[in-house]
Amino acid sequence: MARRGRVELRRIEDKASRQVRFSKRRSGLFKKAFELALLCDAEVALLVFSPAGKLYEYSSTSIEDTYERYQRFAGAGRNANEGDQNNNDNQDAAASDLQYKLREIATWSERNNADKSDANELEKLEKLLTNASRDTKTKKWILLPCYSRPLVS
């Protein structure tokens, strides 16, 4: 079998080829992020914006929690171990945060009728639902046994 040669690193001019390459490379990058998190018990958060501006994200825990941890670490210049918390505490915090978001959605739904809502209110609801869905997926990844997780996110 022939070995692959080095890829010349330069912008791909053909838009269709660039999109195909982006999609394949993105999948490989997300697979590597998942493997790093699983094999090394590392906390990994990955954000990728496509050339069209679409957001793709992966997090071994919660992107928000990881970013807050990063801010504490980088902002205070502390030792990385100082900001660490027990995994159970993180799971409890994520669960209570999700419950809060779901209560907020339910409260909003009771107060507002979709027929009476303006576009801004619907955008707020969409954002709440998107965040709740992402947090639920993240929690599922944490709680699933490693052998039942897919290799690619």
Side-chain angles (χ1 to χ4, degrees):
M1 192 184 310
R3 288 184 161 202
R4 287 187 242 176
R6 291 192 96 149
V7 174
E8 183 181 341
L9 296 180
R10 62 178 171 79
R11 184 175 187 270
I12 299 169
E13 296 302 323
D14 180 50
K15 194 173 183 176
S17 297
R18 187 170 54 238
Q19 178 59 39
V20 169
R21 181 76 56 94
F22 170 80
S23 183
K24 288 181 179 181
R25 290 284 180 123
R26 184 192 71 231
S27 296
L29 181 61
F30 278 67
K31 182 178 177 183
K32 291 293 184 189
F34 168 74
E35 290 171 354
L36 180 65
L38 180 68
L39 296 173
C40 302
D41 197 26
E43 185 175 342
V44 178
L46 175 62
L47 298 174
V48 177
F49 287 94
S50 73
K54 186 173 179 184
L55 171 65
Y56 298 90
E57 62 184 310
Y58 167 79
S59 180
S60 58
T61 58
S62 159
I63 287 183
E64 290 83 5
D65 291 346
T66 303
Y67 182 69
E68 287 172 13
R69 183 174 172 200
Y70 164 76
Q71 285 183 315
R72 285 193 312 269
F73 177 80
R78 292 185 221 148
N79 185 331
N81 293 329
E82 285 180 289
D84 285 346
Q85 293 180 353
N86 187 330
N87 193 26
N88 290 335
D89 292 342
N90 287 337
Q91 288 180 357
D92 291 344
S96 64
D97 185 44
L98 181 58
Q99 289 170 346
Y100 170 78
K101 287 177 183 175
L102 291 174
R103 270 189 252 115
E104 194 174 341
I105 291 167
T107 303
W108 185 91
S109 296
E110 290 170 4
R111 279 193 325 233
N112 298 301
N113 206 333
D115 296 335
K116 298 177 184 177
S117 299
D118 64 354
N120 289 336
E121 290 297 319
L122 289 174
E123 284 180 23
K124 288 178 187 176
L125 178 61
E126 180 183 24
K127 185 175 180 181
L128 286 171
L129 289 169
T130 301
N131 289 341
S133 173
R134 183 188 61 241
D135 292 347
T136 302
K137 289 176 185 174
T138 299
K139 180 125 176 112
K140 183 176 92 174
W141 274 78
I142 293 169
L143 297 176
L144 280 176
C146 61
Y147 56 82
S148 66
R149 292 180 181 171
L151 289 179
V152 178
S153 97

